[in-house]
C-alpha cells in the first residue's frame, strides 16, 4: 500500500493562487484582434489596449463624430504606427489544476478513481482525472474516447504503454453516470453505475509520474489538453481498491456524501459554488485551482427540478442551500474563456476636457491584400472635475456583451451584418471560442458567463444586425443615433455604461433625467433597484428601448465577468405541450447565480415586473425581414407631449416613427414592450403555480406601435413566455406615466425608437417635448443639419 505519511509530507496548499496559468494549449489567431483594458473611463484618465496582430497596423484613438455612417469627421486624439506587431495566443479550455499531485516516485499497489460525470458531447478525446503527460510522463488517467467510451490508464509514470489502457462501455450524453476505475496489483476494472463494466490487466504497480494532477484535462508535451466537456461532481482518489460493496454504496449515495477514511488521497466535494479554488476534504488538503473560470452552481445526479418554483423566487420559495439533494456540480468546457490575459500593447491618456460619449481604438491594416479596420469600442465618462450634465444617457453595454459571439471573428473589409439569434460570424480560427449568451459552447453547454477582457467586435460602431438590407443595428451603432441627435440639438449629456450603474446606482441622483437607450435588456439588481429608487425620489426616465430590463445579470467582484442564467421552464403536469418563446438554456434549477447565490433568469420570474418601474414589459420580437418593422399610430392626440412646447401636428390615428412616406428606418421592430393591461389580455392561461401581476395605475398610452402584417418569424408571448397572438397587430405601446410611487416615465416601448429620431420630424419634436417637461433644455445652439 501507499505510505500515506510520506504522501502527506509532500503536499500542502496555502490557497494563494497565481494569476498566470500553467502551460496550456495555445491558439494563435490570424489577423488583428484587440480589446480595451476597461469598457468605460473618465476623461483625464488613461486607457490600455491589448492587441494581437499578425500584420503591421496604424492605431488611432478617436472620438466618434456627428455622422453615424461616415467616420471621416471623427476626432483623432492620438495615433501611431506599429510596424512590429506581436501575436498573443489565446488559451481556451477550463479544468482544475492541483499543484500537489501524488508523488512521482511513490509506488502504488492499489488505486481507485471515482466521480460522477455528465458528458455533453463526444467526438474528441477528453480527460476526466489525470496525472498524465503524453507521451513521456504517463501515470494514471480516467478519460473518454472519441466514441464516448470510458477509459482507464494506469502506467509506470514514464513512456506511454498501450497495453495499460482499459476501455469500457460508451457513456450517454447529457446523463449523469457514476464511474469507478480501480487498480490492484495489475488488475484493472471499470465500474459504471454500480456494475462491473470492464476488466483487464496492467502493470504490477503504478507510478503517478511527474505530471501535475488535473481534473478535466491531461497534458500533451507538457501543456494542458484534452479538455473535458462535461459536468463533474465528487471526484475522489483512494490509495486502495474499493471493494464491490463499497462501490455500490457510493453509487447509491448519488454524489451527495464526501468519501472518508485514511485511504482517501483526495476528495473534492465541489461545494464552494464560486471562486477559483476548490478544497480537498481529505487529510492531505490537495487544493485545486480552476483555470478559465468553469461554471459553478450546477445541479448533481440526485437533483429534482420539481422542487424549484417555476415563476417565483420569493422568500420561502426554493433555496439551493436548503436542498440536501441538489448536489454540487462543476461544468467544464473545452472552449471556456473569459479573459485573454494579453499583455497591454498601448496606453493612451484621455484629455480631461474630452466630451462624454462613445470612443474607439481604431486599427487600420492590410490583410491578404484587403484594407481592414477593427474598431474597439469604449465609453468616455465625464471628468470627476466637471459638474454633471442635466441628462444622463445609459449605454446598454450588458446587451453588447451578452450578444458578443465570435469574439475572434475573421477580420473583414466591410461592415459586418451579424446574424439573428446571436449567431456569430465566420471564425478566424476553427478552435477559437464563438459562444455567447444566446449560443452554446462547442460541446453544447449553455453559456452562463461573458468576459470583459475579450474582444467584442459586435460592439463596433459599424456593426449591423439582421435582417439584411434593413440598415438596422443593435449595440453601439443603434445607440449612436440618439447621441448624434442630442448633439445636433445642443443638449448637454453624460454617458455611462451598465457596469458603471451597477457599481454606483446613486450616481443617478445627479441628473434631471435618465435616458435608457437602444436594446437595454440585461440589468443587474443594483442597477434595477437604483433606477426605481431614483424615480421614487422624483426623478424622470426616458426609455427609448425595447425588451427593457428583461434578464437579471450579476458581476464578479472586479467587474470583469458578467453572469446570466437562461434556463428552460418545464411544463406543469396538468398543462399541455404549449409552445414557449424562450432562449436556449440549461435545465430548470440552474438559474441560481454563482456570483451571489440568487435566482437569475427573467426578472419577471423573480417577482419583479419591470412594468412597476418603467410601465412596460417585454412582449415579443420579429426580425425575419426589413418589412417586419412597424410604426407608431397616435392614440391620444390631445396629449400635451404632442403639442408643448413644440407642435408635432400629429392627429388621431396618424403614423410616425418612420422615414419619409413610411420608409425605413421604422421604430417598431426587433423587440418591443407593452403595458401589463395589454399583456394580461394576451395571457389566456395563468399557470396554477403563478400569479399574473396587477396592471399599473395612471399609465397614459399616447401611441401604439403597430405591425398589421405578421412576419414569418414573429413571436408574441404572454407573461409566462407562452406563445400567443397579437391584439390586432399591436406590438408596442408608447406611454407617459406619473408613477404613484414617485417619478415620471416616458417609454417608447421599442428597440428602434432612437433609430428614427433624425429622419422623423414628429418623433424629433415629441422627444424634445419630453426633455423639456423633464427639465432638460439645449445649452448650445443646435448644429446645422448635414
Amino acid at each position: 500500500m501507499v505510505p500515506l505519511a510520506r504522501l502527506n509530507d509532500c503536499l500542502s496548499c496555502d490557497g494563494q493562487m497565481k494569476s498566470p496559468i500553467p502551460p496550456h494549449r495555445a491558439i494563435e489567431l490570424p489577423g488583428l484582434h484587440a480589446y480595451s483594458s476597461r469598457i468605460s473611463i473618465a476623461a483625464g484618465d488613461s486607457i490600455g489596449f491589448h492587441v494581437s496582430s499578425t500584420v503591421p497596423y496604424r492605431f488611432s484613438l478617436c472620438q466618434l463624430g456627428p455622422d453615424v455612417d461616415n467616420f471621416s469627421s471623427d476626432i483623432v486624439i492620438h495615433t501611431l504606427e506599429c510596424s512590429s506587431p506581436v501575436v498573443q495566443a489565446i488559451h481556451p479550455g477550463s479544468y482544475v489544476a492541483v499543484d500537489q499531485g501524488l508523488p512521482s516516485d511513490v509506488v502504488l499497489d492499489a488505486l481507485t478513481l471515482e466521480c460522477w460525470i455528465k458528458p455533453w458531447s463526444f467526438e474528441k478525446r477528453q480527460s476526466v482525472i489525470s496525472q498524465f503527460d503524453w507521451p513521456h510522463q504517463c501515470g494514471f488517467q480516467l478519460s473518454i474516447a472519441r466514441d464516448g467510451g470510458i477509459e482507464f490508464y494506469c502506467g509506470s509514470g514514464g513512456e506511454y504503454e498501450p497495453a495499460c489502457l482499459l476501455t469500457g462501455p460508451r457513456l450517454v450524453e447529457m446523463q449523469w453516470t457514476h464511474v469507478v476505475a480501480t487498480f490492484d496489483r495489475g488488475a484493472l476494472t471499470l465500474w459504471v453505475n454500480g456494475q462491473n463494466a470492464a476488466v483487464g490487466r496492467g502493470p504490477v504497480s503504478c507510478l503517478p509520474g511527474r505530471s501535475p494532477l488535473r481534473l478535466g484535462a491531461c497534458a500533451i508535451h507538457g501543456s494542458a489538453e484534452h479538455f473535458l466537456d462535461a459536468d463533474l461532481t465528487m471526484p475522489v482518489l483512494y490509495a486502495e481498491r474499493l471493494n464491490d460493496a463499497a462501490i455500490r454504496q457510493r453509487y447509491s449515495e448519488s454524489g451527495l456524501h464526501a468519501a472518508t477514511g485514511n485511504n482517501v488521497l483526495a476528495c473534492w466535494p465541489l461545494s464552494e459554488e464560486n471562486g477559483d479554488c476548490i478544497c480537498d476534504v481529505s487529510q492531505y488538503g490537495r487544493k485545486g485551482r480552476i483555470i478559465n473560470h468553469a461554471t459553478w452552481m450546477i445541479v448533481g445526479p440526485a437533483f429534482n427540478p420539481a422542487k424549484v418554483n417555476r415563476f417565483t423566487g420569493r422568500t420561502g420559495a426554493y433555496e439551493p442551500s436548503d436542498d440536501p439533494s441538489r448536489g454540487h456540480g462543476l461544468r467544464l468546457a473545452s472552449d471556456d474563456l473569459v479573459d485573454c490575459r494579453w499583455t497591454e500593447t498601448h496606453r493612451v491618456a484621455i484629455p480631461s476636457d474630452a466630451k462624454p460619449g462613445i470612443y474607439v481604438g481604431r486599427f487600420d491594416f492590410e490583410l491578404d491584400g484587403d484594407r481592414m479596420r477593427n474598431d474597439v469600442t469604449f465609453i468616455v465618462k465625464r471628468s470627476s472635475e466637471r459638474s454633471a450634465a442635466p441628462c444622463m444617457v445609459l449605454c446598454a453595454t450588458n446587451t453588447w456583451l451578452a450578444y458578443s459571439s465570435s469574439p475572434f471573428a475573421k477580420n473583414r473589409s466591410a461592415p459586418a451584418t451579424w446574424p439573428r439569434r446571436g449567431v456569430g460570424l465566420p471564425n478566424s480560427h476553427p478552435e477559437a471560442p464563438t459562444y455567447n449568451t444566446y449560443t452554446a459552447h462547442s460541446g453544447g453547454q449553455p453559456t452562463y458567463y461573458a468576459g470583459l477582457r475579450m474582444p467584442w467586435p459586435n460592439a463596433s460602431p459599424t456593426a449591423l444586425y439582421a435582417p439584411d438590407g434593413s440598415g438596422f443595428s443593435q449595440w453601439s451603432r443603434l445607440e449612436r443615433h440618439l447621441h448624434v441627435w442630442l448633439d445636433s440639438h445642443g443638449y448637454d449629456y453624460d454617458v455611462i455604461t451598465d457596469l458603471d450603474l451597477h457599481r454606483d446606482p446613486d450616481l443617478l441622483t445627479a441628473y434631471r433625467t435618465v435616458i435608457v437607450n437602444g436594446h437595454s435588456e440585461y440589468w443587474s439588481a443594483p442597477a434595477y433597484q437604483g433606477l426605481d429608487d431614483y424615480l421614487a425620489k422624483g426623478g424622470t426616465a426616458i426609455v427609448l428601448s425595447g425588451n427593457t430590463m428583461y434578464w437579471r445579470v450579476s458581476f464578479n467582484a472586479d467587474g470583469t465577468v458578467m453572469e446570466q442564467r437562461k434556463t428552460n421552464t418545464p411544463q406543469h403536469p396538468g398543462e399541455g405541450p404549449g409552445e414557449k418563446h424562450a432562449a436556449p438554456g440549461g435545465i430548470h434549477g440552474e438559474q441560481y447565480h454563482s456570483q451571489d447565490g440568487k435566482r437569475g433568469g427573467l426578472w419577471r420570474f423573480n417577482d419583479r415586473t419591470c412594468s412597476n418601474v418603467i410601465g412596460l414589459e417585454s412582449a415579443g420580437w420579429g426580425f425575419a425581414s426589413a418589412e417586419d418593422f412597424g410604426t407608431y399610430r397616435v392614440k391620444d392626440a390631445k396629449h400635451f407631449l404632442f403639442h408643448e412646447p413644440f407642435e408635432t401636428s400629429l392627429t388621431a390615428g396618424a403614423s410616425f416613427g418612420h422615414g419619409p412616406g413610411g420608409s425605413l428606418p421604422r421604430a417598431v421592430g426587433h423587440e418591443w414592450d407593452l403595458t401589463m393591461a395589454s399583456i394580461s389580455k394576451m395571457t389566456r392561461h395563468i399557470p396554477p403555480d403563478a400569479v399574473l401581476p396587477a396592471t399599473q395605475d395612471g399609465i397614459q398610452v399616447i401611441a401604439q406601435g403597430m405591425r398589421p402584417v405578421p412576419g414569418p418569424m414573429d413571436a408574441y408571448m404572454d407573461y409566462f413566455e407562452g406563445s400567443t397572438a397579437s391584439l390586432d397587430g399591436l406590438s408596442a405601446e408608447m406611454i407617459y406615466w406619473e408613477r404613484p410611487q414617485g417619478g415620471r416615465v416616458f417609454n417608447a416601448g421599442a428597440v428602434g425608437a432612437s433609430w428614427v429620431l433624425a429622419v422623423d420630424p414628429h418623433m424629433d419634436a415629441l422627444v424634445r417635448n419630453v426633455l423639456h417637461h423633464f427639465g432638460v433644455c439645449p445649452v448650445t445652439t443646435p448644429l446645422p443639419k448635414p
Side-chain angles (χ1 to χ4, degrees):
M1 298 297 293
V2 180
L4 297 178
R6 184 179 172 193
L7 283 173
N8 194 41
D9 290 341
C10 299
L11 296 171
S12 65
C13 179
D14 60 7
Q16 298 300 312
M17 299 301 180
K18 300 177 180 179
S19 55
I21 63 174
H24 195 107
R25 175 192 61 172
I27 296 174
E28 294 189 349
L29 307 164
L32 187 148
H33 309 271
Y35 59 95
S36 58
S37 57
R38 297 171 60 183
I39 64 170
S40 68
I41 191 78
D45 291 342
S46 64
I47 187 166
F49 292 88
H50 304 248
V51 187
S52 172
S53 182
T54 58
V55 295
Y57 58 86
R58 180 182 181 87
F59 168 70
S60 306
L61 192 138
C62 304
Q63 174 189 340
L64 298 181
D67 191 331
V68 172
D69 297 310
N70 186 342
F71 299 94
S72 62
S73 57
D74 293 350
I75 300 171
V76 178
I77 297 172
H78 175 84
T79 187
L80 62 83
E81 300 286 343
C82 181
S83 59
S84 301
V86 175
V87 176
Q88 303 200 61
I90 58 172
H91 303 85
S94 58
Y95 74 99
V96 178
V98 182
D99 289 340
Q100 299 293 336
L102 306 189
S104 61
D105 57 349
V106 173
V107 177
L108 298 172
D109 297 324
L111 176 70
T112 297
L113 311 181
E114 179 202 3
C115 69
W116 282 86
I117 186 170
K118 184 172 83 172
W120 281 85
S121 65
F122 301 130
E123 299 181 0
K124 56 187 176 183
R125 183 172 294 279
Q126 305 173 52
S127 183
V128 183
I129 303 172
S130 78
Q131 195 159 322
F132 183 97
D133 185 347
W134 187 90
H136 303 305
Q137 298 178 29
C138 302
F140 58 85
Q141 177 176 227
L142 183 65
S143 58
I144 302 173
R146 292 177 181 272
D147 63 359
I150 190 70
E151 299 177 329
F152 178 39
Y153 179 92
C154 203
S156 65
E159 296 297 317
Y160 179 75
E161 303 171 70
C164 298
L165 180 69
L166 174 64
T167 300
R170 187 182 188 276
L171 302 180
V172 180
E173 298 101 320
M174 302 292 295
Q175 181 174 305
W176 279 109
T177 302
H178 183 242
V179 176
V180 176
T182 71
F183 166 79
D184 187 9
R185 294 178 174 84
L188 303 176
T189 63
L190 277 167
W191 289 70
V192 175
N193 290 337
Q195 299 296 317
N196 191 324
V199 297
R201 296 297 302 177
V204 175
S205 59
C206 175
L207 275 74
R210 297 184 180 278
S211 178
L213 178 60
R214 298 176 176 91
L215 306 178
C218 66
I220 296 179
H221 295 296
S223 294
E225 256 282 13
H226 289 174
F227 302 104
L228 184 63
D229 282 306
D231 300 349
L232 185 67
T233 194
M234 200 61 75
V236 188
L237 277 64
Y238 304 83
E240 64 176 331
R241 176 199 176 276
L242 285 191
N243 61 42
D244 299 4
I247 291 172
R248 293 190 177 100
Q249 175 61 31
R250 293 293 291 166
Y251 170 59
S252 71
E253 293 172 359
S254 300
L256 297 177
H257 301 290
T260 59
N262 290 333
N263 284 325
V264 176
L265 297 173
C267 176
W268 299 278
L270 304 177
S271 57
E272 292 82 3
E273 303 292 18
N274 192 16
D276 292 334
C277 188
I278 68 168
C279 293
D280 168 23
V281 297
S282 79
Q283 60 184 311
Y284 303 109
R286 290 184 169 92
K287 292 185 178 180
R289 174 191 174 194
I290 297 176
I291 306 300
N292 284 334
H293 203 278
T295 300
W296 283 112
M297 291 294 283
I298 299 302
V299 297
F303 171 70
N304 178 8
K307 291 183 177 182
V308 181
N309 308 76
R310 295 191 299 167
F311 304 112
T312 180
R314 66 182 181 274
T315 302
Y318 178 86
E319 291 291 342
S321 59
D322 295 336
D323 181 0
S325 63
R326 180 181 175 87
H328 303 285
L330 181 67
R331 178 167 294 158
L332 302 172
S334 59
D335 59 351
D336 260 336
L337 189 67
V338 296
D339 185 349
C340 289
R341 299 186 181 88
W342 289 348
T343 300
E344 184 177 289
T345 313
H346 309 292
R347 178 158 288 272
V348 183
I350 307 296
S352 59
D353 60 350
K355 176 180 170 56
I358 299 177
Y359 287 61
V360 297
R362 177 162 292 161
F363 299 85
D364 291 296
F365 56 99
E366 287 192 10
L367 182 65
D368 298 330
D370 292 324
R371 298 179 66 181
M372 306 280 186
R373 172 168 287 179
N374 187 339
D375 281 345
V376 176
T377 303
F378 67 99
I379 306 303
V380 171
K381 303 177 291 185
R382 67 177 173 90
S383 166
S384 58
E385 305 298 320
R386 190 175 76 85
S387 299
C391 174
M392 189 277 285
V393 177
L394 179 66
C395 287
T397 50
N398 289 350
T399 302
W400 305 1
L401 187 60
Y403 277 86
S404 186
S405 60
S406 303
F408 309 104
K410 285 183 179 179
N411 298 132
R412 301 171 66 97
S413 58
T417 298
W418 292 74
R420 59 180 61 86
R421 301 190 188 280
V423 177
L425 298 175
N427 216 8
S428 63
H429 191 287
E431 295 183 40
T434 62
Y435 58 85
N436 68 0
T437 65
Y438 292 88
T439 59
H441 288 263
S442 61
Q445 305 94 317
T447 301
Y448 293 157
Y449 303 99
L452 280 75
R453 290 175 176 162
M454 302 269 287
W456 56 354
N458 65 300
S460 165
T462 66
L464 299 167
Y465 192 76
D468 288 331
S470 67
F472 174 70
S473 60
Q474 299 195 74
W475 319 312
S476 70
R477 186 178 184 276
L478 171 62
E479 296 181 35
R480 281 257 296 144
H481 287 280
L482 171 65
H483 298 196
V484 169
W485 180 84
L486 289 168
D487 290 335
S488 72
H489 284 292
Y491 290 103
D492 186 19
Y493 60 96
D494 290 336
V495 177
I496 65 168
T497 68
D498 285 329
L499 181 57
D500 295 317
L501 182 57
H502 166 82
R503 285 172 161 162
D504 183 12
D506 290 338
L507 61 79
L508 298 181
T509 60
Y511 299 95
R512 297 176 191 170
T513 197
V514 173
I515 303 181
V516 178
N517 187 28
H519 190 177
S520 193
E521 180 178 3
Y522 292 82
W523 282 65
S524 70
Y528 191 116
Q529 190 61 49
L531 179 61
D532 197 18
D533 291 344
Y534 162 77
L535 291 170
K537 295 174 183 176
T540 65
I542 300 171
V543 183
L544 301 177
S545 167
N547 191 217
T548 308
M549 303 176 85
Y550 193 52
W551 296 100
R552 185 178 90 83
V553 300
S554 59
F555 288 89
N556 63 347
D558 61 2
T560 59
V561 179
M562 183 180 81
E563 181 175 8
Q564 64 77 43
R565 298 260 173 162
K566 294 184 175 74
T567 56
N568 297 317
T569 304
Q571 294 294 117
H572 190 275
E575 297 172 341
E579 182 184 355
K580 292 282 187 181
H581 288 312
I587 66 170
H588 184 61
E590 287 183 358
Q591 58 262 63
Y592 292 86
H593 284 216
S594 66
Q595 292 172 346
D596 59 16
K598 297 178 182 178
R599 181 170 171 136
L602 298 178
W603 272 113
R604 63 176 66 177
F605 294 170
N606 278 272
D607 306 292
R608 299 193 72 170
T609 168
C610 63
S611 61
N612 286 335
V613 181
I614 56 173
L616 301 179
E617 259 284 5
S618 294
W621 55 83
F623 34 61
S625 72
E627 298 307 310
D628 288 346
F629 288 88
T631 63
Y632 293 110
R633 292 182 187 173
V634 176
K635 184 174 187 291
D636 184 0
K638 295 182 180 180
H639 198 277
F640 69 89
L641 288 178
F642 288 126
H643 306 286
E644 302 170 9
F646 306 104
E647 180 56 58
T648 66
S649 302
L650 289 169
T651 57
S655 70
F656 67 103
H658 52 74
S663 64
L664 287 167
R666 294 190 291 270
V668 184
H670 189 66
E671 302 194 45
W672 51 76
D673 301 344
L674 293 169
T675 60
M676 276 305 306
S678 294
I679 292 176
S680 296
K681 296 176 183 177
M682 297 164 63
T683 303
R684 299 182 175 91
H685 169 72
I686 300 175
D689 53 343
V691 176
L692 187 67
T695 59
Q696 290 72 32
D697 293 331
I699 291 179
Q700 302 170 38
V701 179
I702 67 172
Q704 296 175 316
M706 304 301 296
R707 301 170 62 258
V709 180
M713 296 179 68
D714 280 9
Y716 288 92
M717 62 183 182
D718 66 18
Y719 188 77
F720 304 103
E721 290 189 300
S723 178
T724 188
S726 72
L727 302 175
D728 298 322
L730 177 66
S731 296
E733 288 174 298
M734 179 181 286
I735 66 165
Y736 172 74
W737 185 29
E738 295 182 359
R739 304 189 336 156
Q741 64 270 44
R744 292 176 290 162
V745 175
F746 171 84
N747 194 335
V751 168
S754 61
W755 189 24
V756 301
L757 284 171
V759 298
D760 182 0
H762 304 300
M763 193 74 168
D764 172 284
L766 174 61
V767 176
R768 283 192 290 147
N769 287 345
V770 176
L771 286 165
H772 174 85
H773 286 283
F774 286 0
V776 179
C777 298
V779 296
T780 62
T781 303
L783 298 174
K785 291 187 178 295

